Amino acid sequence: TYTLQLQRFDAVREAWSPAQIPTRRSGIGAGVAVRDPDGTHVYEGLEPGRYRVFERGTRRPSGDVEVQTGGAHELAFDLSGAQWIEGRVVGPVGANLVQARIVVDGREPRTGLWSGVRPDAQGTFRIRASLDGDVTLRVTHPTLMPAANGGRVTVRPGTDRVVLRLEPGPELRFRVAGYEDAQTPATGLWHAPLSVHLLPEKSGRALTVRPVADAGTFRAGGFQPGTYTLWLIFGRGRAPYVRKGLVLGGQTLDLGTLAPPAGTTLRIRVAGLADRPNAAVWAVVTHEGEPAYSRHGALDREAGELVSRGLGAGRFRVLVRGAGLAGLSSAARVLLDRVITTDGSADVTLDVQLP
């Protein structure tokens, strides 16, 4: 099995990003394709630009193709160089190994949280990786840290079994006002969108982890001792909580109860929306710095505006797209592409005109 993502080259950021594809039902889908029985993936309704396909498991990209309006284009993607690697995660006695993730080393922070595979309760796993050359696997965990000897393993062509090791380390604990009961009793894992980002203030690897909840207290670990800038990224409606100069040593640090700030609300007034009942208009607001996070603009047709809440301080790219502007099947069009700077408190208003 494999997981493909269609990506479009962003000339402004000079980077590849997930392609946004219009659909009749919801107006937008990210990387959605119709798959034929012979393995052909068909993507429709693309706006002009450079595209490629990215396989998540192996982190292998295809070549790219320039898509023009009204044309049909093809990409051939060869995954024959990838193979399955089997292995085992070993941790302290009583450790919940199901919470671990095994990833291909080198993933950027914005995808590291969601990528990789989980082992079973005994710690065994299978991961697909490209073995054209050496590949490094690493293990992450919400409360344990990769062992100094065995937390990261280099896999060479021909290797089919590995062992990854976890060990105890510093732990961060906190509570969030309003989320005291945000816990799934069956697993103890909190499924609401909250993530912990630790950015070293000197040097080292930035770490992203989803915390574990225990009776309203969140626990996060898996990091080396040091001085960090802490970011807590909440879901929609609340801005990140940021704390600089956080010193984490070899012991547990309890931050107490934290209040997520409301942040900046971005309102995008859409002129001409009332005359286009079939139009789909959406916005994606992306933080330009690290850690990466984004907010989506909810469309309020009655008010004629897109509303995006929970922006912290910093630079954000605002991308507004529309579909169905000349009929339900029309391709998505970029209506606004702008960078704004917010202070994390004052609201911002923009205007966009439907063509």
Side-chain angles (χ1 to χ4, degrees), residues 231-252:
W231 287 66
L232 299 182
I233 307 295
F234 302 95
R236 298 177 182 178
R238 291 294 177 178
Y241 172 90
V242 182
R243 179 168 172 177
K244 297 182 178 180
L246 185 68
V247 179
L248 298 176
Q251 299 179 345
T252 297

Side-chain angles (χ1 to χ4, degrees), residues 216-297:
T217 296
F218 295 98
R219 300 164 49 224
F223 39 79
Q224 299 287 341
T227 303
Y228 297 87
T229 296
L230 167 70
W231 287 66
L232 299 182
I233 307 295
F234 302 95
R236 298 177 182 178
R238 291 294 177 178
Y241 172 90
V242 182
R243 179 168 172 177
K244 297 182 178 180
L246 185 68
V247 179
L248 298 176
Q251 299 179 345
T252 297
L253 176 63
D254 195 323
L255 298 180
T257 300
L258 308 178
T264 290
T265 295
L266 171 64
R267 299 183 182 275
I268 305 172
R269 297 180 296 201
V270 184
L273 186 62
D275 301 327
R276 308 290 181 85
N278 293 325
V281 183
W282 61 92
V284 180
V285 185
T286 306
H287 184 226
E288 291 282 86
E290 291 295 344
Y293 70 95
S294 62
R295 297 288 184 257
H296 294 265

Side-chain angles (χ1 to χ4, degrees), residues 26 28 264-271 273 279-285 295-309 311 318-323 333-336 347-354:
S26 62
I28 183 173
T264 290
T265 295
L266 171 64
R267 299 183 182 275
I268 305 172
R269 297 180 296 201
V270 184
L273 186 62
V281 183
W282 61 92
V284 180
V285 185
R295 297 288 184 257
H296 294 265
L299 179 61
D300 185 339
R301 283 190 174 273
E302 185 174 339
E305 64 181 13
L306 295 157
V307 182
S308 181
R309 306 182 188 278
L311 303 180
V318 182
L319 190 60
V320 180
R321 287 187 170 97
R333 296 180 56 181
V334 175
L335 305 176
L336 179 71
D347 293 348
V348 176
T349 301
L350 299 176
D351 292 284
V352 64
Q353 174 71 52
L354 294 184

Side-chain angles (χ1 to χ4, degrees), residues 10-135:
D10 187 332
V12 176
R13 302 179 64 186
E14 297 185 346
W16 291 94
S17 302
Q20 306 297 321
I21 303 172
T23 64
R24 288 176 179 266
R25 180 171 59 85
S26 62
I28 183 173
V32 177
V34 177
R35 183 178 180 184
D36 292 339
D38 64 354
T40 300
H41 292 252
V42 181
Y43 299 89
E44 298 178 333
L46 302 180
E47 60 185 77
R50 284 175 58 197
Y51 290 85
R52 74 177 186 182
V53 173
F54 183 81
E55 205 281 308
R56 291 176 181 270
T58 62
R59 301 189 69 247
R60 175 181 289 191
S62 69
D64 60 88
V65 63
E66 190 75 23
V67 172
Q68 304 293 338
T69 302
H73 307 79
E74 293 185 358
L75 272 177
F77 195 17
D78 183 6
L79 290 173
S80 60
Q83 76 172 53
W84 288 101
I85 302 172
E86 296 184 352
R88 185 164 60 96
V89 176
V90 178
V93 175
N96 188 347
L97 299 179
V98 175
Q99 296 174 353
R101 280 188 182 271
I102 298 90
V103 300
V104 178
D105 204 6
R107 290 190 186 275
E108 56 274 13
R110 74 179 61 214
T111 61
L113 179 61
W114 312 109
S115 58
V117 299
R118 290 189 184 277
D120 61 20
Q122 288 70 47
T124 59
F125 67 88
R126 295 177 75 232
I127 188 170
R128 187 177 174 89
S130 175
L131 289 180
D132 294 337
D134 292 354
V135 171

